[in-house]
Amino acid sequence: MEYADLLIENHGKVAVIRLNRPKAMNALNDNMMNELGDALYKFDADPSVNVIVLTGSEKVFAAGADIAAMANYTYADTYPGNYIGRNWEHILNVRKPVIGVVAGYALGGGCELAMMCDFLIAADSAKFGQPEIKVGVTPGAGGTQRLPRTIGKAKAMDMLLTSRMIDAAEAERTGLVSRIFPADKLMEEALAVANTIAEMPVSVAMAIKDSVNRAFETTLTEGVRYERRFFHAAFGTPAQKEGMSAFLAKRKANFEGM
């Protein structure tokens, strides 16, 4: 795959998508988001790929939506044209695990895009923020919704109303980030995490992702019932037979193609 605003890397069962608009600090514009959707869907359908990594450069994940592109928009451009909704949320339809890997700035739409990933790994240089209030708008890609669900109301209100950034350490403490690594080791360590997941049965990884996401959309009782259906169904799959046979035989399971 070749794109104007993305770089693609293949690491065995792990596909890496790099946001690549260096002169614009990876600001998210229509072309980049269209390309990102295309790449995500292709990797989701590719049987040789089990895990997708979404990242930026060493200096910036994404500095936000492209203000230069939208500064002159009117209400008629945004609401009837479904700005953001038309091409930012393809990532939410991807069934395979998507790991966000953040170094440097993840601000505004960049922070919102990062939060759409299944979990985040950050460099110690990472900084997160939702500074939309400073340019006269609210967040539009989930900042007022995903952020409080992730870090709590008080922290989210603080960030959203003051536009202050938080560093990687605070992001980890509040639950926004799963792991932190030194910046010069970030991709090495992130790929190690991704490869660990890629060696698991992808069908089970997809079911786990589906079940965890369900937890935010339903009651606890219904969520547990949903989870249990996957658990019961697993006993009709090759992954369960291989996994439990390998455990009993004290050997490493081979989940290739599962």
Coordinates of all heavy atoms in Angstrom, one line a residue, residues 33-115:
M33 N -7.5 11.0 6.9 CA -8.5 10.2 7.5 C -9.1 9.2 6.5 O -9.4 8.1 6.9 CB -9.5 11.0 8.2 CG -9.0 12.0 9.3 SD -7.8 11.2 10.4 CE -8.9 10.2 11.4
N34 N -9.3 9.6 5.3 CA -9.7 8.7 4.3 C -8.7 7.5 4.0 O -9.1 6.4 3.9 CB -10.0 9.4 2.9 CG -11.2 10.3 3.0 OD1 -12.1 10.0 3.7 ND2 -11.2 11.3 2.2
E35 N -7.4 7.9 4.0 CA -6.4 6.9 3.8 C -6.3 6.0 5.0 O -6.1 4.8 4.8 CB -5.0 7.6 3.6 CG -4.9 8.3 2.2 CD -3.6 8.8 1.9 OE1 -2.7 8.9 2.9 OE2 -3.3 9.2 0.8
L36 N -6.5 6.6 6.2 CA -6.4 5.7 7.4 C -7.5 4.7 7.4 O -7.3 3.5 7.7 CB -6.5 6.6 8.6 CG -6.4 5.9 10.0 CD1 -5.2 5.1 10.1 CD2 -6.6 6.9 11.1
G37 N -8.7 5.1 7.0 CA -9.8 4.2 7.0 C -9.5 3.1 6.0 O -9.8 1.9 6.3
D38 N -9.0 3.4 4.8 CA -8.7 2.4 3.8 C -7.7 1.4 4.3 O -7.8 0.2 4.2 CB -8.2 3.1 2.6 CG -7.9 2.2 1.4 OD1 -8.8 1.7 0.7 OD2 -6.7 1.8 1.2
A39 N -6.6 1.9 4.9 CA -5.5 1.0 5.4 C -6.1 0.1 6.6 O -5.8 -1.1 6.6 CB -4.4 1.8 5.9
L40 N -6.8 0.7 7.5 CA -7.4 -0.1 8.6 C -8.3 -1.2 8.1 O -8.2 -2.4 8.5 CB -8.2 0.8 9.5 CG -7.4 1.7 10.4 CD1 -8.3 2.8 11.0 CD2 -6.6 1.0 11.5
Y41 N -9.1 -0.9 7.1 CA -10.0 -1.9 6.6 C -9.3 -3.0 5.9 O -9.6 -4.2 5.9 CB -11.1 -1.3 5.7 CG -12.2 -0.6 6.5 CD1 -12.7 0.6 6.0 CD2 -12.7 -1.0 7.7 CE1 -13.7 1.3 6.7 CE2 -13.7 -0.4 8.4 CZ -14.2 0.8 7.9 OH -15.1 1.5 8.5
K42 N -8.3 -2.6 5.1 CA -7.5 -3.6 4.4 C -6.7 -4.6 5.4 O -6.7 -5.8 5.2 CB -6.5 -2.9 3.5 CG -7.2 -2.4 2.2 CD -6.2 -1.7 1.3 CE -6.9 -1.2 0.0 NZ -6.0 -0.4 -0.8
F43 N -6.1 -4.0 6.4 CA -5.5 -4.9 7.4 C -6.4 -5.7 8.2 O -6.1 -6.9 8.5 CB -4.6 -4.1 8.3 CG -3.3 -3.5 7.7 CD1 -3.0 -2.2 7.8 CD2 -2.5 -4.4 6.9 CE1 -1.8 -1.7 7.2 CE2 -1.4 -3.9 6.3 CZ -1.0 -2.6 6.4
D44 N -7.6 -5.2 8.4 CA -8.6 -6.0 9.2 C -9.1 -7.2 8.4 O -9.4 -8.2 8.9 CB -9.8 -5.1 9.5 CG -10.6 -5.5 10.7 OD1 -10.0 -6.1 11.6 OD2 -11.9 -5.3 10.7
A45 N -9.1 -7.0 7.1 CA -9.5 -8.1 6.2 C -8.3 -9.1 5.8 O -8.6 -10.1 5.2 CB -10.1 -7.6 4.9
D46 N -7.1 -8.7 6.1 CA -5.9 -9.5 5.7 C -5.7 -10.6 6.7 O -5.4 -10.4 7.8 CB -4.7 -8.5 5.6 CG -3.5 -9.2 5.1 OD1 -3.4 -10.4 5.0 OD2 -2.5 -8.5 4.7
P47 N -5.8 -11.8 6.2 CA -5.6 -13.0 7.2 C -4.2 -13.1 7.7 O -4.0 -13.8 8.7 CB -6.0 -14.2 6.3 CG -5.9 -13.8 4.9 CD -6.2 -12.3 4.9
S48 N -3.2 -12.4 7.1 CA -1.9 -12.5 7.5 C -1.6 -11.5 8.7 O -0.5 -11.6 9.3 CB -0.9 -12.3 6.4 OG -0.9 -11.0 6.0
V49 N -2.5 -10.6 8.9 CA -2.3 -9.6 10.0 C -3.2 -9.9 11.2 O -4.4 -10.1 11.0 CB -2.6 -8.2 9.4 CG1 -2.6 -7.2 10.5 CG2 -1.6 -7.8 8.3
N50 N -2.7 -10.0 12.4 CA -3.4 -10.2 13.6 C -3.6 -8.9 14.4 O -4.5 -8.9 15.2 CB -2.8 -11.3 14.4 CG -3.0 -12.7 13.9 OD1 -3.6 -12.8 12.8 ND2 -2.6 -13.7 14.6
V51 N -2.6 -8.0 14.3 CA -2.7 -6.8 15.2 C -2.2 -5.6 14.3 O -1.4 -5.7 13.5 CB -1.7 -7.0 16.4 CG1 -1.6 -5.7 17.2 CG2 -2.1 -8.2 17.2
I52 N -2.9 -4.5 14.6 CA -2.5 -3.2 13.9 C -2.0 -2.2 14.9 O -2.6 -2.1 16.0 CB -3.8 -2.6 13.2 CG1 -4.4 -3.6 12.2 CG2 -3.5 -1.3 12.5 CD1 -5.8 -3.3 11.7
V53 N -0.9 -1.6 14.6 CA -0.3 -0.5 15.4 C -0.5 0.8 14.7 O -0.2 0.9 13.5 CB 1.2 -0.8 15.7 CG1 1.8 0.5 16.3 CG2 1.4 -2.0 16.6
L54 N -1.1 1.8 15.4 CA -1.2 3.1 14.9 C -0.3 4.1 15.6 O -0.4 4.2 16.8 CB -2.7 3.6 15.0 CG -3.0 5.0 14.5 CD1 -2.7 5.2 13.0 CD2 -4.4 5.4 14.8
T55 N 0.6 4.8 14.9 CA 1.5 5.6 15.5 C 1.8 6.8 14.7 O 1.2 7.0 13.6 CB 2.9 4.8 15.8 OG1 3.7 5.6 16.7 CG2 3.6 4.5 14.5
G56 N 2.7 7.7 15.2 CA 3.1 8.9 14.4 C 4.6 8.9 14.3 O 5.2 7.9 14.0
S57 N 5.2 10.1 14.5 CA 6.6 10.2 14.5 C 7.2 10.3 15.9 O 6.4 10.1 16.9 CB 7.0 11.5 13.8 OG 6.7 12.6 14.5
E58 N 8.5 10.5 16.0 CA 9.1 10.6 17.3 C 8.7 11.8 18.1 O 8.7 11.9 19.3 CB 10.6 10.5 17.2 CG 11.1 9.2 16.7 CD 12.7 9.2 16.5 OE1 13.3 10.3 16.7 OE2 13.2 8.1 16.1
K59 N 8.3 12.9 17.3 CA 8.0 14.2 17.9 C 6.5 14.4 18.1 O 6.1 15.2 19.0 CB 8.5 15.3 17.0 CG 10.0 15.3 16.9 CD 10.5 16.5 16.1 CE 12.0 16.5 16.0 NZ 12.5 17.6 15.2
V60 N 5.6 13.7 17.3 CA 4.2 14.0 17.4 C 3.4 12.8 16.9 O 3.7 12.2 15.9 CB 3.9 15.3 16.6 CG1 4.2 15.1 15.1 CG2 2.4 15.6 16.8
F61 N 2.4 12.4 17.6 CA 1.4 11.5 17.2 C 0.5 12.2 16.2 O 0.5 11.9 15.0 CB 0.6 10.9 18.4 CG -0.5 9.9 17.9 CD1 -0.2 8.6 17.6 CD2 -1.8 10.3 18.0 CE1 -1.2 7.8 17.2 CE2 -2.8 9.5 17.6 CZ -2.5 8.2 17.2
A62 N -0.2 13.2 16.7 CA -1.0 14.1 15.9 C -1.4 15.3 16.7 O -1.8 15.2 17.8 CB -2.3 13.4 15.3
A63 N -1.1 16.5 16.1 CA -1.3 17.7 16.9 C -2.7 18.2 16.9 O -3.0 19.2 17.5 CB -0.4 18.8 16.3
G64 N -3.6 17.5 16.2 CA -5.0 17.8 16.2 C -5.6 17.8 14.8 O -4.9 17.4 13.9
A65 N -6.8 18.2 14.7 CA -7.4 18.4 13.4 C -6.8 19.6 12.7 O -6.2 20.4 13.3 CB -8.9 18.7 13.6
D66 N -6.8 19.5 11.4 CA -6.2 20.6 10.6 C -6.9 21.9 10.6 O -7.9 22.1 9.9 CB -6.0 20.0 9.2 CG -5.1 20.9 8.3 OD1 -4.9 22.1 8.7 OD2 -4.6 20.4 7.3
I67 N -6.5 22.8 11.5 CA -7.2 24.0 11.7 C -7.2 24.9 10.4 O -8.1 25.6 10.1 CB -6.7 24.8 12.9 CG1 -7.0 24.0 14.2 CG2 -7.3 26.2 13.0 CD1 -6.4 24.6 15.4
A68 N -6.1 24.8 9.7 CA -5.9 25.6 8.5 C -7.0 25.2 7.5 O -7.5 26.0 6.7 CB -4.6 25.4 7.9
A69 N -7.4 23.9 7.5 CA -8.3 23.4 6.5 C -9.8 23.7 6.9 O -10.6 23.9 6.1 CB -8.2 21.9 6.4
M70 N -10.0 23.9 8.3 CA -11.4 24.1 8.7 C -11.7 25.5 9.2 O -12.9 25.7 9.6 CB -11.7 23.0 9.8 CG -11.0 23.2 11.1 SD -11.5 21.9 12.3 CE -10.4 22.2 13.6
A71 N -10.8 26.3 9.3 CA -11.0 27.7 9.9 C -12.1 28.4 9.2 O -12.9 29.2 9.9 CB -9.7 28.5 9.8
N72 N -12.3 28.3 7.9 CA -13.4 29.0 7.2 C -14.7 28.2 7.0 O -15.6 28.6 6.3 CB -12.8 29.5 5.9 CG -11.8 30.6 6.1 OD1 -11.9 31.4 7.0 ND2 -10.7 30.5 5.2
Y73 N -14.7 27.0 7.6 CA -16.0 26.2 7.5 C -17.1 27.0 8.2 O -17.0 27.8 9.1 CB -15.8 24.9 8.3 CG -15.0 23.8 7.5 CD1 -14.8 22.6 8.1 CD2 -14.5 24.0 6.3 CE1 -14.1 21.6 7.5 CE2 -13.8 23.0 5.6 CZ -13.6 21.8 6.2 OH -12.9 20.8 5.6
T74 N -18.3 26.7 7.7 CA -19.5 27.2 8.3 C -20.3 26.1 8.8 O -20.0 24.9 8.6 CB -20.4 28.0 7.2 OG1 -20.8 27.0 6.2 CG2 -19.6 29.1 6.5
Y75 N -21.4 26.4 9.5 CA -22.3 25.3 10.0 C -22.8 24.4 8.9 O -22.9 23.2 9.0 CB -23.5 25.9 10.7 CG -24.5 24.9 11.3 CD1 -24.2 24.2 12.4 CD2 -25.7 24.7 10.6 CE1 -25.2 23.3 12.9 CE2 -26.6 23.8 11.0 CZ -26.3 23.1 12.2 OH -27.3 22.2 12.6
A76 N -23.0 25.1 7.7 CA -23.5 24.3 6.6 C -22.4 23.3 6.1 O -22.8 22.3 5.5 CB -23.9 25.3 5.5
D77 N -21.2 23.7 6.3 CA -20.1 22.8 5.9 C -19.9 21.6 6.8 O -19.6 20.5 6.4 CB -18.8 23.5 5.8 CG -18.7 24.6 4.8 OD1 -19.2 24.3 3.6 OD2 -18.2 25.7 5.1
T78 N -20.2 21.8 8.1 CA -19.9 20.8 9.1 C -21.0 19.9 9.4 O -20.9 18.7 9.3 CB -19.4 21.5 10.4 OG1 -20.4 22.4 10.9 CG2 -18.1 22.2 10.2
Y79 N -22.2 20.4 9.7 CA -23.3 19.5 10.0 C -23.9 18.8 8.9 O -23.9 17.5 8.9 CB -24.4 20.3 10.8 CG -25.6 19.5 11.2 CD1 -25.4 18.5 12.2 CD2 -26.8 19.6 10.7 CE1 -26.4 17.6 12.6 CE2 -27.9 18.8 11.1 CZ -27.7 17.8 12.0 OH -28.7 17.0 12.4
P80 N -24.4 19.4 7.8 CA -24.9 18.6 6.7 C -23.8 17.8 6.0 O -24.1 16.7 5.5 CB -25.4 19.7 5.7 CG -25.6 20.9 6.5 CD -24.6 20.9 7.6
G81 N -22.5 18.3 6.1 CA -21.4 17.5 5.5 C -20.9 16.4 6.4 O -20.0 15.7 6.0
N82 N -21.4 16.3 7.6 CA -21.0 15.3 8.6 C -19.5 15.3 8.8 O -18.8 14.2 8.8 CB -21.5 13.9 8.1 CG -21.4 12.9 9.3 OD1 -21.4 13.2 10.4 ND2 -21.3 11.6 8.9
Y83 N -19.0 16.5 9.0 CA -17.5 16.6 9.3 C -17.2 15.8 10.5 O -17.8 15.8 11.5 CB -17.2 18.1 9.5 CG -15.7 18.3 9.8 CD1 -14.7 17.8 9.0 CD2 -15.3 19.0 11.0 CE1 -13.4 18.0 9.3 CE2 -14.0 19.3 11.3 CZ -13.0 18.7 10.5 OH -11.7 18.9 10.8
I84 N -16.1 15.1 10.5 CA -15.6 14.1 11.4 C -16.3 12.8 11.3 O -15.7 11.8 11.1 CB -15.6 14.7 12.9 CG1 -14.6 15.8 13.1 CG2 -15.3 13.5 13.9 CD1 -14.5 16.4 14.4
G85 N -17.6 12.8 11.4 CA -18.4 11.6 11.4 C -18.2 10.8 10.0 O -18.3 9.6 10.0
R86 N -17.9 11.6 9.0 CA -17.9 10.9 7.7 C -16.7 10.1 7.5 O -16.7 9.2 6.6 CB -18.0 12.0 6.5 CG -16.8 13.0 6.4 CD -17.0 13.9 5.3 NE -16.0 15.0 5.3 CZ -16.2 16.3 5.4 NH1 -17.4 16.7 5.6 NH2 -15.2 17.1 5.4
N87 N -15.6 10.4 8.2 CA -14.4 9.6 7.9 C -13.4 9.4 9.1 O -12.3 8.8 8.9 CB -13.6 10.2 6.7 CG -13.2 11.6 6.9 OD1 -13.5 12.2 7.9 ND2 -12.6 12.2 5.8
W88 N -13.7 9.9 10.3 CA -12.8 9.7 11.4 C -13.0 8.4 12.2 O -12.1 8.0 12.9 CB -13.0 10.9 12.4 CG -12.4 12.2 12.0 CD1 -12.5 12.8 10.8 CD2 -11.5 13.0 12.8 NE1 -11.7 14.0 10.8 CE2 -11.1 14.1 12.0 CE3 -11.0 12.8 14.1 CZ2 -10.3 15.1 12.5 CZ3 -10.2 13.8 14.6 CH2 -9.8 14.9 13.8
E89 N -14.2 7.8 12.1 CA -14.5 6.7 13.0 C -14.4 5.3 12.4 O -14.9 4.4 13.0 CB -15.9 7.0 13.6 CG -15.9 8.3 14.4 CD -17.3 8.7 14.9 OE1 -18.3 8.5 14.1 OE2 -17.4 9.3 16.0
H90 N -13.8 5.2 11.2 CA -13.6 3.9 10.7 C -12.9 3.0 11.7 O -13.1 1.8 11.7 CB -12.8 4.0 9.4 CG -13.5 4.7 8.3 ND1 -14.7 4.3 7.8 CD2 -13.1 5.8 7.6 CE1 -15.0 5.2 6.8 NE2 -14.1 6.1 6.7
I91 N -12.0 3.5 12.4 CA -11.2 2.7 13.4 C -12.1 2.0 14.4 O -11.7 0.9 14.9 CB -10.2 3.6 14.1 CG1 -9.2 2.8 15.0 CG2 -10.9 4.7 15.0 CD1 -8.0 3.6 15.5
L92 N -13.2 2.5 14.7 CA -14.2 1.9 15.6 C -14.8 0.6 15.0 O -15.4 -0.2 15.8 CB -15.3 2.9 16.0 CG -14.8 4.2 16.7 CD1 -15.9 5.1 17.0 CD2 -13.9 3.9 17.9
N93 N -14.7 0.5 13.7 CA -15.3 -0.7 13.1 C -14.3 -1.8 12.9 O -14.7 -2.9 12.5 CB -15.9 -0.3 11.7 CG -17.0 0.7 11.8 OD1 -17.8 0.7 12.7 ND2 -17.0 1.7 10.9
V94 N -13.1 -1.6 13.2 CA -12.0 -2.6 13.0 C -12.2 -3.7 14.1 O -12.2 -3.3 15.3 CB -10.6 -2.0 13.1 CG1 -9.5 -3.0 13.0 CG2 -10.5 -1.0 11.9
R95 N -12.2 -4.9 13.8 CA -12.4 -6.0 14.7 C -11.1 -6.5 15.4 O -11.2 -7.0 16.5 CB -13.2 -7.1 14.0 CG -14.5 -6.7 13.5 CD -15.2 -7.8 12.7 NE -15.6 -8.9 13.6 CZ -15.8 -10.1 13.3 NH1 -15.6 -10.5 12.0 NH2 -16.2 -11.0 14.2
K96 N -10.0 -6.4 14.7 CA -8.8 -6.9 15.2 C -8.2 -5.8 16.2 O -8.6 -4.6 16.2 CB -7.7 -7.1 14.1 CG -8.1 -8.3 13.2 CD -7.2 -8.4 12.0 CE -7.6 -9.5 11.1 NZ -6.7 -9.6 9.9
P97 N -7.3 -6.2 17.1 CA -6.8 -5.3 18.1 C -6.0 -4.2 17.4 O -5.2 -4.4 16.5 CB -5.8 -6.1 18.9 CG -6.4 -7.5 18.8 CD -6.9 -7.6 17.4
V98 N -6.2 -2.9 17.8 CA -5.5 -1.8 17.4 C -4.8 -1.1 18.5 O -5.5 -0.6 19.5 CB -6.5 -0.7 16.7 CG1 -5.6 0.5 16.2 CG2 -7.2 -1.4 15.5
I99 N -3.5 -1.1 18.5 CA -2.7 -0.5 19.6 C -2.3 0.9 19.2 O -1.6 1.1 18.1 CB -1.5 -1.3 19.9 CG1 -1.9 -2.7 20.3 CG2 -0.7 -0.7 21.1 CD1 -0.7 -3.7 20.5
G100 N -2.5 1.9 19.9 CA -2.0 3.3 19.7 C -0.7 3.4 20.4 O -0.5 3.1 21.5
V101 N 0.3 3.9 19.6 CA 1.7 4.1 20.1 C 2.0 5.6 20.0 O 2.1 6.1 18.9 CB 2.7 3.2 19.4 CG1 4.1 3.5 19.9 CG2 2.3 1.7 19.6
V102 N 2.1 6.3 21.1 CA 2.2 7.7 21.1 C 3.6 8.2 21.6 O 4.0 7.9 22.7 CB 1.1 8.3 22.0 CG1 1.2 9.9 22.0 CG2 -0.3 7.9 21.5
A103 N 4.2 9.0 20.8 CA 5.4 9.8 21.2 C 5.1 11.2 20.9 O 4.4 11.6 20.0 CB 6.7 9.3 20.5
G104 N 5.6 12.1 21.8 CA 5.4 13.5 21.6 C 3.9 13.9 21.8 O 3.2 13.3 22.6
Y105 N 3.4 14.8 21.0 CA 2.1 15.4 21.2 C 0.9 14.6 20.6 O 1.0 14.2 19.5 CB 2.0 16.8 20.6 CG 3.0 17.8 21.3 CD1 4.2 18.1 20.7 CD2 2.7 18.3 22.6 CE1 5.1 19.0 21.3 CE2 3.6 19.2 23.2 CZ 4.8 19.5 22.5 OH 5.7 20.4 23.1
A106 N -0.1 14.4 21.4 CA -1.4 13.9 21.0 C -2.4 14.9 21.5 O -2.9 14.8 22.6 CB -1.6 12.5 21.5
L107 N -2.8 15.8 20.7 CA -3.6 16.9 21.1 C -4.9 17.0 20.3 O -4.9 16.7 19.1 CB -2.9 18.3 21.0 CG -1.5 18.3 21.7 CD1 -0.9 19.7 21.4 CD2 -1.7 18.1 23.2
G108 N -6.0 17.5 20.9 CA -7.2 17.7 20.3 C -7.7 16.4 19.5 O -7.8 15.3 20.1
G109 N -7.9 16.5 18.2 CA -8.3 15.4 17.4 C -7.3 14.2 17.5 O -7.6 13.1 17.4
G110 N -6.0 14.6 17.7 CA -5.0 13.5 17.9 C -5.2 12.7 19.1 O -5.0 11.5 19.1
C111 N -5.5 13.4 20.2 CA -5.9 12.7 21.5 C -7.1 11.9 21.3 O -7.2 10.7 21.8 CB -6.0 13.7 22.6 SG -6.2 13.0 24.3
E112 N -8.1 12.4 20.6 CA -9.4 11.7 20.4 C -9.1 10.5 19.5 O -9.7 9.4 19.8 CB -10.4 12.6 19.7 CG -10.9 13.7 20.7 CD -11.7 14.8 20.0 OE1 -11.2 15.3 19.0 OE2 -12.8 15.1 20.5
L113 N -8.3 10.6 18.5 CA -8.0 9.4 17.7 C -7.3 8.4 18.5 O -7.6 7.2 18.4 CB -7.1 9.8 16.5 CG -6.7 8.7 15.5 CD1 -7.9 8.0 14.9 CD2 -5.8 9.3 14.4
A114 N -6.3 8.8 19.3 CA -5.6 7.9 20.2 C -6.6 7.1 21.1 O -6.4 5.9 21.2 CB -4.6 8.6 21.0
M115 N -7.6 7.8 21.6 CA -8.5 7.1 22.5 C -9.4 6.2 21.8 O -10.1 5.3 22.4 CB -9.3 8.2 23.3 CG -8.6 8.9 24.3 SD -9.6 10.0 25.4 CE -10.1 11.3 24.3

